[in-house]
Amino acid sequence: MQRILSLQLTDDSLSALLAGVGDGQLNIISEASQAIDPDKLAVIREFYSLSGSPSSINSNEDEEQGDEAADSEMAEISDAFSWLSAQMKECLSQIEGGWDRSILVVPANHTLTLNLELPFSHPRQIERIIELEVQDRVPFSTENFFIHSKALTPLENGSFDIHVTLIPKLYVEKLMAVCKEVDLDPPIITTHDQIPVGVFELFPELTEKNTTVIIDADDCLYTSSYLADSVRSSSLIPLPPQNGTGKSVQERKAVALRNHQRVFLSLEKRYKDSFSSIVVFSDDLQFSNMAAEIFKQSVKQYPLADIQPLKEKSFSTALSLLLAASTAKGKLLCNLRAGRYAYRPQIKELIQASKKLIVPFVALLICLSISLSVIYGVRSYRISALSETLSEQAAKVLPSVSIPPGSEISTLRARYGQLNRQLNESSAALRISPLQTVVELAQIFRSDKSVEIRRLRIYGDKIDVEGEAPDYESVDKMKSKLKRKRDYFCRVNKDETTPGPGNSKRFKFQISLCSK
């Protein structure tokens, strides 16, 4: 069972009713109502004329006075709609529980309906030309009108019957703004003259043949006609005002019936078909006889209670609930949620889902920021430690060179490149390359761990070696080992031996490399 909210605005009240709807049953869940200030609604009605905009200023007034008057009118309209928004918010606050779908029914302020014939029925094709087609048929500009179109069933000539409703744009925009302010997004916003269509939802068997339905209300007649496999018209016909004419209620109802008779006959002529059934809902026993006499056709009468599943509630409320719950919305001729005002539940669901995800997303963002900060801190520490280690090692390798921080590797590469070039140049005239000679020297000096090399300098075909040994005997042994490597060293001279720290001896060898 669906939970449906019906919100109805009339000339004297604003009512909201939440009901469970399913299997033709309606159960009231919650309801609320607000009294309406008729003067406020009068302001709204007064300023909407068939020009589709606030009433025009007297042409005899000068331009400055006209602008001031127009601003005053717009301010009064905005004030009236702000008041309506506050009333609607107060009314909805009294409804207990949520709802699955909703419908808003508003007065039909200066609406105009007509039917067109077009060779296509696709909404986009209709939208491209509908304004031009309507403009050709009405004696006023359609610029300030919201034009609603609905394709009905095809006609005998192959063209499509298009039902068109014109309603002032500003009226629709203000209604949508009010709904947004009260956080209401109804899939259906329609007018009171569309409500009789709900009879065909309540009694589907009426659509089995061509039927016109007449509902006898207190001060008006509601009518809806089903002809040629589609709902063709739906209207609200007010009873003529008495205004001291002395006419009885029956006489005024007869006038309203004759007004509908003209629509009745024009529909039969347009669609080349005839109504086989006239159904009236009225508690007036004479009403059906009067209708039969005017239409010259038999009439079936049912009590109003048959279209009032909710006792003591208006039939309009019940029928609006059925229209909102219906999945086959094809019978409704005008729903203002079309075009730029179309109902898009996907966008609303996306916004709601986004709102739900805001808190988890923020929490995730905070955790991610903390994690990145920690990772950045750890890596910065490691890079700093690595830079310090690299600087220390570079200082050991090149103690006499001042190396700027961060350029250790490039400096070492440059120095080693320079050394490599020097080695290549010097090896061109030597039997064995200086690099191989250095390797051989390293093996010789490593054989005696008591001997420590302090400095090794290569220049041309000469190598100077400076170091320390524990005694003179160790120095002599080292010299003997060098002399035995005649393939590498052609001459080994011990330049000098001097006392070192403690009992150690400092020595210096000058070695000549063998030429080719």
Side-chain angles (χ1 to χ4, degrees), residues 281-336:
F281 292 91
S282 175
D283 293 332
D284 183 353
L285 297 179
Q286 298 180 6
F287 188 76
S288 60
N289 295 330
M290 183 168 50
E293 182 179 346
I294 292 173
F295 288 95
K296 302 186 184 327
Q297 193 170 329
S298 62
V299 174
K300 294 181 181 179
Q301 180 169 343
Y302 299 93
L304 278 173
D306 286 2
I307 55 173
Q308 288 178 297
L310 302 174
K311 294 181 179 180
E312 300 180 358
K313 302 298 175 187
S314 69
F315 67 86
S316 177
T317 301
L319 296 182
S320 65
L321 289 168
L322 292 170
L323 283 172
S326 173
T327 54
K329 294 181 289 186
K331 296 184 179 66
L332 191 63
L333 293 176
C334 179
N335 180 7
L336 301 182

Side-chain angles (χ1 to χ4, degrees), residues 9-10 20 27 35 68 70 90 184 205 213 250 325 332 361 367 384 412 423 425 429 435 466 472 500-501 512:
L9 175 64
T10 64
N27 301 315
E68 291 178 358
E90 176 64 24
L184 181 69
E205 62 273 12
V213 173
Q250 293 296 329
L332 191 63
F361 177 76
C367 292
S384 177
L412 290 173
L423 291 174
E425 290 173 0
L435 187 60
E466 297 179 11
Y472 291 110
S512 298

Side-chain angles (χ1 to χ4, degrees), residues 50 110-118 126 129-140 142 145-152 160-167 193-194 231-235 263 266-267 270-271 333-334:
L50 282 179
H110 299 290
T111 58
L112 176 67
T113 61
L114 64 151
N115 285 67
L116 305 175
E117 288 186 25
L118 294 178
I126 296 173
I129 67 166
I130 192 65
E131 187 170 353
L132 295 175
E133 292 289 334
V134 173
Q135 185 63 80
D136 290 341
R137 289 166 173 79
V138 296
F140 51 85
T142 61
F145 274 90
F146 170 68
I147 301 177
H148 176 275
S149 59
K150 179 179 176 62
L152 306 179
F160 291 88
D161 187 27
I162 311 298
H163 184 275
V164 179
T165 303
L166 283 81
I167 189 166
D193 59 333
Q194 296 294 312
V231 175
R232 300 294 176 177
S233 73
S234 183
S235 62
V263 177
S266 66
L267 289 173
R270 176 179 176 81
Y271 299 107
L333 293 176
C334 179

Side-chain angles (χ1 to χ4, degrees), residues 32-45:
S33 63
Q34 290 286 115
I36 292 296
D37 183 352
D39 293 337
K40 294 290 187 181
L41 287 186
V43 169
I44 296 174
R45 286 196 300 271

Side-chain angles (χ1 to χ4, degrees), residues 225-278:
S225 300
Y226 188 90
L227 184 67
D229 300 324
S230 182
V231 175
R232 300 294 176 177
S233 73
S234 183
S235 62
L236 186 155
I237 306 175
L239 300 186
Q242 193 168 15
N243 291 339
T245 60
K247 288 184 178 181
S248 65
V249 175
Q250 293 296 329
E251 290 174 326
R252 293 161 62 205
K253 288 182 179 179
V255 173
L257 282 173
R258 289 191 184 93
N259 289 336
H260 180 56
Q261 183 192 26
R262 287 192 284 270
V263 177
F264 182 92
L265 295 174
S266 66
L267 289 173
E268 289 186 326
K269 181 179 179 180
R270 176 179 176 81
Y271 299 107
K272 300 182 174 120
D273 206 344
S274 59
F275 288 98
S276 57
S277 174
I278 299 177

Side-chain angles (χ1 to χ4, degrees), residues 388-403 408 412 416 454:
E388 290 179 2
T389 303
L390 186 61
S391 297
E392 292 174 359
Q393 295 299 321
K396 290 180 179 179
V397 174
L398 300 173
S400 61
V401 179
S402 178
I403 303 176
E408 291 87 355
L412 290 173
Y416 280 118
R454 296 291 186 184

Side-chain angles (χ1 to χ4, degrees), residues 17-228:
L17 188 143
L18 179 63
V21 183
D23 300 326
Q25 300 296 318
L26 287 82
N27 301 315
I28 297 177
I29 298 173
S30 179
E31 59 182 313
S33 63
Q34 290 286 115
I36 292 296
D37 183 352
D39 293 337
K40 294 290 187 181
L41 287 186
V43 169
I44 296 174
R45 286 196 300 271
E46 179 183 351
F47 287 112
Y48 291 103
S49 63
L50 282 179
S51 66
S53 59
S55 60
S56 60
I57 305 302
N58 191 329
S59 59
N60 294 327
E61 297 177 343
D62 59 33
E63 185 177 351
E64 183 177 353
Q65 292 175 335
D67 291 341
E68 291 178 358
D71 291 341
S72 176
E73 287 183 344
M74 288 303 299
E76 198 170 0
I77 293 173
S78 298
D79 179 66
F81 274 102
S82 297
W83 167 84
L84 178 60
S85 175
Q87 296 298 306
M88 193 178 293
K89 187 176 295 186
E90 176 64 24
C91 190
L92 290 175
S93 68
Q94 300 174 38
I95 296 295
E96 299 176 358
W99 50 85
D100 303 316
R101 293 175 64 81
S102 59
I103 180 171
L104 173 61
V105 185
V106 298
N109 289 306
H110 299 290
T111 58
L112 176 67
T113 61
L114 64 151
N115 285 67
L116 305 175
E117 288 186 25
L118 294 178
F120 41 75
S121 62
H122 195 280
R124 289 186 179 177
Q125 292 176 306
I126 296 173
E127 186 178 353
R128 289 192 188 102
I129 67 166
I130 192 65
E131 187 170 353
L132 295 175
E133 292 289 334
V134 173
Q135 185 63 80
D136 290 341
R137 289 166 173 79
V138 296
F140 51 85
S141 173
T142 61
E143 181 181 357
N144 294 320
F145 274 90
F146 170 68
I147 301 177
H148 176 275
S149 59
K150 179 179 176 62
L152 306 179
T153 53
L155 301 174
E156 289 184 355
N157 60 8
S159 61
F160 291 88
D161 187 27
I162 311 298
H163 184 275
V164 179
T165 303
L166 283 81
I167 189 166
K169 280 182 182 178
L170 191 57
Y171 183 62
V172 181
E173 289 174 358
K174 292 290 186 181
L175 282 176
M176 296 302 298
V178 167
C179 288
K180 186 175 181 180
E181 285 182 19
V182 300
D183 196 24
L184 181 69
D185 190 24
I188 299 176
I189 299 179
T190 191
T191 52
H192 284 286
D193 59 333
Q194 296 294 312
I195 292 302
V197 176
V199 172
F200 298 111
E201 296 292 342
L202 187 60
F203 301 107
E205 62 273 12
L206 293 179
T207 60
E208 294 175 0
K209 50 188 175 181
N210 296 333
T211 303
T212 187
V213 173
I214 304 172
I215 302 173
D216 178 18
D218 293 335
D219 55 355
C220 63
L221 301 181
Y222 289 87
T223 70
S224 188
S225 300
Y226 188 90
L227 184 67

